[in-house]
Amino acid sequence: MGKEIERKFLVTSDAWRSEGQSSLLRQGYISAEPGRIVRVRIDGDRGCITIKGMATGASCGEWEYPVPLQDAAELLDQVCEKPLIEKYRHRIARDGVLWEVDEFLGDNAGLVVAEIELESEEQRFVRPDWLGEEVTEDRRYANANLIRKPFSQW
């Protein structure tokens, strides 16, 4: 079984902007039901489909598979719930871990969060000075929930 252990934080400054690599992501949901999330994503020139199980704390089952870019585009346009999530993802390697800073567009513009994937829930890491409040367990910040209640409606 695949497993994802991820913690999510609000971002409090632009100090991270000079670091890392960026790409535009488009993603949509075939199912956004808790415990049976099915997501389609295009990240640059690659497509993938991800299935996520029920989240418990910072952990959930996760299985991800590559799909042809054209298939991913068709799924996003024809099958996924609307609106789609669009965001710039900035990948920042720092202190032996990879931070992903997501800068949302569209109805979620203004929302900037940082995520870190860990080997265990107890894994220690150095907090960059641009990290704010942890929102790992606040489901409003889950991408699957941002399609139903975008940040602009909070």
Side-chain angles (χ1 to χ4, degrees):
M1 176 169 115
K3 186 173 186 178
E4 174 186 59
I5 302 169
E6 179 179 84
R7 292 178 62 185
K8 187 178 292 198
F9 301 83
L10 296 179
V11 174
T12 59
S13 79
D14 287 339
W16 54 271
R17 286 195 183 276
S18 62
E19 303 178 53
Q21 300 293 319
S22 302
S23 62
L24 177 64
L25 273 68
R26 291 181 65 223
Q27 67 187 44
Y29 292 86
I30 294 171
S31 171
E33 294 301 315
R36 57 179 59 93
I37 293 172
V38 180
R39 176 185 73 205
V40 176
R41 177 183 282 168
I42 294 177
D43 182 354
D45 62 354
R46 81 177 187 91
C48 69
I49 190 163
T50 305
I51 302 162
K52 292 188 175 202
M54 187 63 74
T56 304
S59 301
C60 76
E62 180 181 77
W63 301 265
E64 186 168 280
Y65 306 97
V67 297
L69 185 60
Q70 184 62 38
D71 289 355
E74 289 174 5
L75 287 167
L76 286 171
D77 292 341
Q78 299 173 25
V79 178
C80 290
E81 295 181 50
K82 303 298 185 279
L84 300 177
I85 296 284
E86 293 186 306
K87 59 187 177 180
Y88 284 104
R89 171 158 287 172
H90 311 275
R91 293 171 178 89
I92 301 167
R94 193 177 232 232
D95 299 312
V97 295
L98 180 65
W99 288 95
E100 295 177 332
V101 176
D102 288 343
E103 188 174 17
F104 288 83
L105 304 171
D107 287 344
N108 292 299
L111 178 60
V112 182
V113 298
E115 300 175 347
I116 183 174
E117 286 198 27
L118 304 170
E119 297 294 321
S120 73
E121 290 204 29
E122 297 78 30
Q123 180 179 340
R124 294 182 179 267
F125 57 91
V126 177
R127 286 178 60 108
D129 57 1
W130 36 263
L131 276 192
E133 174 187 358
E134 183 167 2
V135 294
T136 300
E137 295 191 35
D138 186 338
R139 301 314 301 162
R140 292 179 302 162
Y141 293 95
N143 285 262
N145 291 331
L146 289 171
I147 62 170
R148 293 200 176 116
K149 187 152 187 181
F151 183 64
S152 63
Q153 295 177 13
W154 294 8

